[in-house]
Short mmCIF file of all heavy atoms in Angstrom, two decimals:
data_model
loop_
_atom_site.label_atom_id
_atom_site.label_comp_id
_atom_site.label_asym_id
_atom_site.label_seq_id
_atom_site.Cartn_x
_atom_site.Cartn_y
_atom_site.Cartn_z
N LYS A 26 -1.96 -9.42 -3.03
CA LYS A 26 -0.93 -9.79 -2.08
C LYS A 26 -1.50 -10.75 -1.05
O LYS A 26 -2.67 -10.76 -0.78
CB LYS A 26 -0.37 -8.56 -1.41
CG LYS A 26 0.48 -7.72 -2.33
CD LYS A 26 1.37 -6.84 -1.50
CE LYS A 26 2.41 -6.26 -2.41
NZ LYS A 26 3.42 -5.55 -1.70
N LEU A 40 1.44 -30.27 2.18
CA LEU A 40 2.80 -30.71 2.46
C LEU A 40 3.31 -30.26 3.82
O LEU A 40 4.49 -30.46 4.11
CB LEU A 40 3.73 -30.18 1.36
CG LEU A 40 3.42 -30.71 -0.04
CD1 LEU A 40 4.29 -30.04 -1.07
CD2 LEU A 40 3.57 -32.21 -0.10
N ASP A 56 22.08 -30.78 -10.48
CA ASP A 56 21.39 -31.85 -9.78
C ASP A 56 21.62 -31.86 -8.27
O ASP A 56 21.09 -32.69 -7.57
CB ASP A 56 21.75 -33.21 -10.37
CG ASP A 56 23.25 -33.43 -10.45
OD1 ASP A 56 24.02 -32.50 -10.13
OD2 ASP A 56 23.66 -34.53 -10.84
N HIS A 57 22.41 -30.92 -7.75
CA HIS A 57 22.61 -30.81 -6.30
C HIS A 57 22.20 -29.42 -5.85
O HIS A 57 22.77 -28.43 -6.31
CB HIS A 57 24.08 -31.08 -5.93
CG HIS A 57 24.44 -32.52 -6.01
ND1 HIS A 57 24.73 -33.15 -7.19
CD2 HIS A 57 24.53 -33.46 -5.05
CE1 HIS A 57 25.01 -34.41 -6.97
NE2 HIS A 57 24.89 -34.63 -5.67
N HIS A 58 21.22 -29.34 -4.96
CA HIS A 58 20.70 -28.05 -4.48
C HIS A 58 20.99 -27.90 -3.00
O HIS A 58 20.67 -28.78 -2.21
CB HIS A 58 19.19 -27.99 -4.70
CG HIS A 58 18.80 -28.02 -6.13
ND1 HIS A 58 17.52 -27.84 -6.54
CD2 HIS A 58 19.50 -28.22 -7.28
CE1 HIS A 58 17.44 -27.91 -7.86
NE2 HIS A 58 18.65 -28.16 -8.32
N ASP A 69 4.71 -10.33 3.17
CA ASP A 69 4.28 -11.15 2.05
C ASP A 69 5.40 -11.89 1.32
O ASP A 69 5.11 -12.75 0.50
CB ASP A 69 3.56 -10.27 1.02
CG ASP A 69 2.37 -9.57 1.60
OD1 ASP A 69 1.65 -10.20 2.39
OD2 ASP A 69 2.17 -8.38 1.30
N ALA A 78 24.61 -26.91 -7.95
CA ALA A 78 25.85 -27.43 -8.53
C ALA A 78 25.52 -28.49 -9.57
O ALA A 78 24.47 -29.12 -9.53
CB ALA A 78 26.74 -28.01 -7.44
N SER A 88 32.58 -26.36 -6.26
CA SER A 88 33.56 -25.30 -6.50
C SER A 88 32.88 -24.18 -7.29
O SER A 88 31.80 -24.37 -7.84
CB SER A 88 34.74 -25.86 -7.30
OG SER A 88 34.34 -26.16 -8.62
N TYR A 97 15.56 -16.99 -5.23
CA TYR A 97 14.15 -17.33 -5.40
C TYR A 97 13.35 -16.56 -4.36
O TYR A 97 13.86 -16.16 -3.32
CB TYR A 97 13.93 -18.83 -5.20
CG TYR A 97 14.52 -19.65 -6.30
CD1 TYR A 97 15.87 -19.96 -6.28
CD2 TYR A 97 13.75 -20.09 -7.36
CE1 TYR A 97 16.44 -20.70 -7.31
CE2 TYR A 97 14.31 -20.84 -8.38
CZ TYR A 97 15.65 -21.14 -8.36
OH TYR A 97 16.21 -21.87 -9.37
N LEU A 100 5.69 -15.42 -2.58
CA LEU A 100 4.75 -14.39 -2.14
C LEU A 100 3.52 -15.01 -1.50
O LEU A 100 2.57 -14.30 -1.17
CB LEU A 100 4.34 -13.51 -3.32
CG LEU A 100 5.49 -12.77 -4.03
CD1 LEU A 100 5.00 -12.11 -5.30
CD2 LEU A 100 6.13 -11.77 -3.10
N VAL A 144 31.84 -7.93 9.65
CA VAL A 144 31.69 -7.09 8.47
C VAL A 144 30.22 -7.07 8.09
O VAL A 144 29.50 -8.07 8.22
CB VAL A 144 32.57 -7.54 7.29
CG1 VAL A 144 34.03 -7.27 7.57
CG2 VAL A 144 32.36 -9.01 6.97
N SER A 148 21.91 -4.51 0.86
CA SER A 148 21.33 -4.62 -0.47
C SER A 148 19.96 -3.94 -0.46
O SER A 148 19.19 -4.13 0.48
CB SER A 148 21.16 -6.09 -0.87
OG SER A 148 20.47 -6.20 -2.11
N THR A 154 22.44 -6.99 -5.76
CA THR A 154 23.71 -6.27 -5.63
C THR A 154 23.89 -5.88 -4.17
O THR A 154 22.92 -5.78 -3.42
CB THR A 154 23.74 -4.99 -6.51
OG1 THR A 154 22.66 -4.12 -6.10
CG2 THR A 154 23.58 -5.33 -7.98
N ILE A 171 38.49 -13.29 23.47
CA ILE A 171 38.00 -14.10 22.36
C ILE A 171 39.14 -14.62 21.47
O ILE A 171 39.18 -15.78 21.12
CB ILE A 171 36.99 -13.31 21.49
CG1 ILE A 171 35.83 -12.81 22.35
CG2 ILE A 171 36.49 -14.16 20.33
CD1 ILE A 171 34.98 -13.87 22.98
N GLU A 174 45.24 -17.40 21.36
CA GLU A 174 45.95 -18.31 20.47
C GLU A 174 45.39 -19.72 20.62
O GLU A 174 45.07 -20.16 21.73
CB GLU A 174 47.44 -18.31 20.79
CG GLU A 174 48.22 -19.13 19.79
CD GLU A 174 49.68 -18.73 19.71
OE1 GLU A 174 50.02 -17.59 20.10
OE2 GLU A 174 50.45 -19.55 19.25
N MET A 196 30.38 -19.54 18.85
CA MET A 196 30.91 -20.80 19.34
C MET A 196 32.42 -20.57 19.42
O MET A 196 33.07 -20.30 18.42
CB MET A 196 30.61 -21.96 18.42
CG MET A 196 31.17 -23.26 18.97
SD MET A 196 31.11 -24.72 17.89
CE MET A 196 29.74 -24.48 16.84
#
Side-chain angles (χ1 to χ4, degrees):
K26 288 200 168 188
L40 298 174
D56 53 355
H57 286 80
H58 296 187
D69 301 320
S88 70
Y97 291 82
L100 300 171
V144 289
S148 174
T154 60
I171 304 296
E174 186 157 338
M196 180 188 332

